[in-house]
Amino acid sequence: MSYPLNHPRASRIAGMGRYAPARRVGNEELEARLGLEAGWIQRRTGIHARRYAAEGEALTDIAFHAGQQALEAAGIDRADVGLTLLATSTPDHLLPPSAPLLAHRLGLSRSGAVDLAGACAGFLYALTLADSFVRAQGKPVLVVAANILSRRINPKDRSSAVLFADAAGAAVLVPSEEPGAGVLGADLVSDGSCYDLIRIPAGGSRTPYYPGIEAEQLLMEMPNGKAVFTKAVEMMTDCAVKAMAQAGVGAGDITRFVPHQANIRIFDLVRKGLGLAEDTLVSSIEEYGNSSAATIPFSLAGSVAHKPLQSGEKVLMTAVGAGLTAGAVVYGVP
């Protein structure tokens, strides 16, 4: 397929994909290990199970499966893809970036490729950049969000060990001349004053790994879960309000609400605060837990497989993650 050199009006999602590893870890296993009463995890998070990658399964392996599905669904010539964006907090290596390897494995011979470390909000940042690239360059973009968080979980820390999981989700954006398509509204923000609320203390240039460093410093920690909860509700709601206002839509116009799958209580509060109908909610948290940036495309891909996107739909996505990074996007379907 050829694309015009002039700047298209918008982008459209031409295909989506998702992947979760085969190993299913139910709450019973974690509750027994952490000494928690039966039902403790489900009551506080809405999670019943999550998936963990198999030994030897790399980040680019799970990202490949989701990207392959999205490209096949889009049905485009892979040589036309101009950019591959990989939103991840768990790349195969600190150096080199993982996106070039992913693009190579997917046969994207003419694609630029870069990793984006936006934590749980990473997919929304990548989606916004992808939409802008499609409009500016008139070329398709592959966006993949993937994480293997099971290898960064401190098994002794119940605040994080019960939440995080492994998965990948992907979307292919292509040029569109249809009005009312693509990113209609976006609000991306950060709050560095909360930088340490979710972190892996060591392994970066500030505290590099060296012999004798405590193993726990290389694992995720969330010392103040209550503060994370409060900030998540506040920032996800505020970003969504601003993105909807920019898009010129109200609560009644939103057909699918796809929040970051952090905690069912968080996105229920956000949904109610925005006045969105209960049947707009798209969720995968019960069976798949929290895979950070992957949760939004993973959940949306599952929803689309069940009920394809229809012309005129308005999809609202919102997330907050470590950093803190946050954002919301209203995406229009042509």
Side-chain angles (χ1 to χ4, degrees):
M1 182 183 295
S2 61
Y3 296 94
L5 293 177
N6 61 306
H7 303 327
R9 291 186 182 182
S11 70
R12 67 176 177 87
I13 296 175
M16 298 202 72
R18 70 178 194 163
Y19 174 80
R23 183 187 170 197
R24 183 180 186 273
V25 180
N27 287 347
E28 312 79 35
E29 179 179 332
L30 298 186
E31 286 168 344
R33 189 180 73 206
L34 292 165
L36 301 171
E37 64 179 276
W40 189 93
I41 296 173
Q42 190 278 327
R43 288 195 301 272
R44 286 162 176 77
T45 68
I47 299 170
H48 289 267
R50 72 285 293 144
R51 303 296 176 93
Y52 286 176
E55 184 176 352
E57 195 170 27
L59 184 281
T60 47
D61 294 330
I62 70 170
F64 172 85
H65 291 300
Q68 183 85 316
Q69 284 183 25
L71 288 163
E72 289 176 353
I76 63 173
D77 186 337
R78 298 193 185 200
D80 288 335
V81 175
L83 182 63
T84 299
L85 298 175
L86 176 58
T88 185
S89 299
T90 59
D92 285 352
H93 303 93
L94 289 178
L95 192 72
S98 297
L101 176 60
L102 174 63
H104 170 71
R105 292 185 59 188
L106 289 169
L108 305 180
S109 59
R110 297 292 301 164
S111 175
V114 67
D115 293 3
L116 293 177
C120 298
F123 175 75
L124 298 184
Y125 282 72
L127 182 67
T128 304
L129 291 173
D131 177 80
S132 297
F133 185 92
V134 171
R135 293 173 190 254
Q137 300 295 323
K139 297 179 181 179
V141 177
L142 171 65
V143 180
V144 181
N147 281 292
I148 297 183
L149 294 169
S150 62
R151 295 176 191 157
R152 289 295 189 177
I153 292 171
N154 184 341
K156 301 174 185 176
D157 178 22
R158 70 181 188 181
S159 66
S160 59
V162 303
L163 297 173
F164 294 108
D166 308 339
V172 174
L173 275 63
V174 300
S176 173
E177 294 299 330
E178 298 294 327
V183 174
L184 306 181
D187 187 59
L188 305 176
V189 300
S190 66
D191 185 355
S193 70
C194 299
Y195 183 76
D196 288 335
L197 283 181
I198 307 169
R199 64 185 182 181
I200 297 174
S205 60
R206 181 181 290 272
T207 309
Y209 174 78
Y210 54 86
I213 196 169
E214 294 182 9
E216 285 77 8
Q217 288 189 273
L218 297 169
L219 301 174
M220 193 180 310
E221 62 181 27
M222 189 166 57
N224 191 341
K226 184 175 291 186
V228 172
F229 187 103
T230 301
K231 290 295 291 185
V233 173
E234 173 191 319
M235 295 179 78
M236 288 171 68
T237 302
D238 185 60
C239 287
V241 167
K242 289 181 170 60
M244 289 168 66
Q246 188 183 108
V249 301
D253 300 310
I254 301 300
T255 57
R256 305 193 204 207
F257 171 52
V258 195
H260 166 49
Q261 308 288 295
N263 182 311
I264 195 170
R265 293 184 296 148
I266 289 176
F267 57 70
D268 272 349
L269 285 171
V270 174
R271 180 187 63 78
K272 291 173 182 176
L274 295 171
L276 300 173
E278 189 172 359
D279 63 3
T280 62
L281 176 65
V282 175
S283 177
S284 61
I285 194 170
E286 289 191 11
E287 181 61 23
Y288 296 100
N290 178 354
S291 52
S292 187
T295 68
I296 288 179
F298 183 89
S299 301
L300 182 57
S303 175
V304 170
H306 175 71
K307 181 183 177 183
L309 293 168
Q310 302 296 314
S311 178
E313 282 202 55
K314 304 294 187 294
V315 181
L316 172 63
M317 298 165 271
T318 184
V320 67
L324 293 175
T325 61
V329 169
V330 176
Y331 204 90
V333 181

